[in-house]
């Protein structure tokens, strides 16, 4: 069975989905994960099945997606940055579980039509982003390859993504290797991890109010935690990681 670490290593953003519906047993597992995470952190994550209206047509998806019929809407108050960070963390956890179940996924921040999402929202709420999810071919299509080449750049080195005043332990390096494989908006990889002399580890972005940066922070924290093997993060920009002894 694929572990979360295996899922990190095998996950790739997919933009072309097959018409076949999700298996009912897989749908039940996804719903169970969503219910668990939503209850744990008071999040609003909603699975949409068989309704790709938000992604249909060039006007809405700019031609970057095809065949999207299922997705998870991540809903919240955009001014609540801690909540948005949590949506990034638990949304990526859902992505990794979906990968382990054999599904294709893609984080979608802008190239979908929010008004076509079937959600009743309160005045202060919005669809912060979506995660396209569904069955995919084992091989990437030509258009997928072209888009991947356009939106991805070379991955940053571990040295570019962390600071330390001393040599770092092996578990920290393992965490950083997982961070290298974390998705982020236009692959900008904005999160900087700091290992202090007293062993404290923190993660932060330069401007947490920037578009998508809170999501990126949550996603990167999850990857680090899985790669490090054990431990847990506090939420917040610059918050610390507690490694299990």
């Amino acid at each position: 069975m694929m572990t979360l670490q295996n899922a990190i290593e095998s996950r790739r953003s997919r933009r072309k989905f097959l018409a076949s519906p999700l298996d009912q047993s897989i749908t039940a597992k996804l719903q169970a994960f969503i219910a668990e995470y939503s209850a744990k952190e008071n999040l609003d994550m909603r699975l949409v099945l068989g309704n790709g209206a938000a992604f249909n047509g060039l006007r809405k998806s700019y031609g970057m997606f095809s065949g999207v019929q299922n997705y998870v809407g991540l809903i919240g108050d955009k001014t609540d940055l801690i909540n948005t960070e949590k949506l990034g963390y638990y949304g990526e956890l859902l992505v990794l579980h979906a990968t382990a179940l054999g599904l294709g996924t893609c984080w979608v921040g802008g190239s979908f039509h929010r008004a076509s999402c079937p959600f009743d929202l309160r005045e202060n709420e919005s669809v912060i982003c979506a995660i396209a999810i569904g069955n995919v071919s084992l091989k990437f299509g030509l258009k997928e390859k072209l888009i991947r080449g356009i939106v991805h750049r070379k991955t940053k080195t571990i040295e570019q993504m962390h600071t330390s005043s001393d040599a770092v332990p092996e578990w920290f390096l393992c965490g950083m290797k997982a961070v290298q494989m974390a998705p982020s908006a236009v692959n900008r990889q904005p999160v900087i991890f700091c290992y202090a002399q007293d062993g404290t580890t923190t993660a932060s972005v330069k401007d947490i109010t920037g578009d998508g940066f809170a999501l990126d922070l949550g996603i990167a924290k999850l990857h680090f935690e899985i790669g490090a093997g054990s431990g847990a993060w506090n939420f917040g920009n610059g918050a610390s990681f507690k490694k299990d002894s």
Side-chain angles (χ1 to χ4, degrees):
M1 183 176 178
M2 186 182 290
T3 65
L4 291 178
Q5 180 63 44
N6 295 149
I8 284 176
E9 295 165 2
S10 65
R11 183 209 62 83
R12 299 291 184 274
S13 296
R14 302 301 303 265
R15 293 175 174 83
K16 183 178 181 180
F17 295 85
L18 302 177
S20 56
L22 297 182
D23 184 271
Q24 288 186 352
S25 64
I26 288 180
T27 299
K29 290 177 182 177
L30 293 176
Q31 293 281 29
F33 286 129
I34 289 172
E36 177 186 348
Y37 305 151
S38 297
K40 182 176 181 180
E41 295 290 349
N42 193 29
L43 301 176
D44 194 349
M45 306 166 70
R46 307 185 198 178
L47 179 62
V48 176
L49 298 171
N51 181 352
F55 291 84
N56 290 340
L58 291 173
R59 182 176 65 85
K60 297 174 182 177
S61 69
Y62 308 104
M64 295 186 69
F65 293 90
S66 65
V68 178
Q69 291 297 313
N70 318 294
Y71 60 94
V72 179
L74 306 184
I75 297 165
D77 180 346
K78 289 190 294 186
T79 65
D80 187 345
L81 297 174
I82 294 292
N83 185 74
T84 302
E85 180 189 334
K86 290 178 179 179
L87 287 172
Y89 181 100
Y90 285 100
E92 180 63 6
L93 187 53
L94 183 64
V95 163
L96 296 179
H97 281 300
T99 301
L101 291 169
L103 301 176
T105 63
C106 188
W107 282 89
V108 191
S111 48
F112 71 105
H113 194 229
R114 285 168 166 79
S116 296
C117 296
F119 306 138
D120 291 325
L121 305 176
R122 292 191 289 267
E123 186 176 349
N124 64 331
E125 289 182 327
S126 63
V127 184
I128 293 175
C129 66
I131 300 170
I133 190 167
N135 296 312
V136 292
S137 170
L138 293 178
K139 294 183 178 181
F140 281 74
L142 177 60
K143 193 172 185 179
E144 280 188 300
K145 292 178 181 178
L146 289 172
I147 293 173
R148 181 174 175 82
I150 292 170
V151 302
H152 280 72
R153 57 167 171 74
K154 188 176 180 180
T155 298
K156 288 183 178 180
T157 65
I158 289 175
E159 288 72 25
Q160 290 174 309
M161 293 191 291
H162 94 280
T163 63
S164 63
S165 55
D166 208 342
V168 297
E170 183 63 25
W171 62 263
F172 183 92
L173 288 176
C174 289
M176 291 306 303
K177 289 177 183 177
V179 171
Q180 282 186 299
M181 293 180 276
S184 61
V186 294
N187 200 33
R188 60 193 170 192
Q189 298 179 301
V191 185
I192 299 297
F193 291 78
C194 178
Y195 183 80
Q197 201 165 24
D198 64 359
T200 301
T201 298
T202 59
S204 61
V205 293
K206 187 174 182 179
D207 179 14
I208 191 63
T209 64
D211 187 29
F213 282 94
L215 284 170
D216 288 346
L217 179 61
I219 292 169
K221 280 183 174 181
L222 175 73
H223 273 236
F224 182 93
E225 182 177 312
I226 293 171
S230 63
W233 284 99
N234 291 308
F235 288 105
N237 196 27
S240 62
F241 176 76
K242 181 174 176 57
K243 182 74 170 68
D244 294 341
S245 55

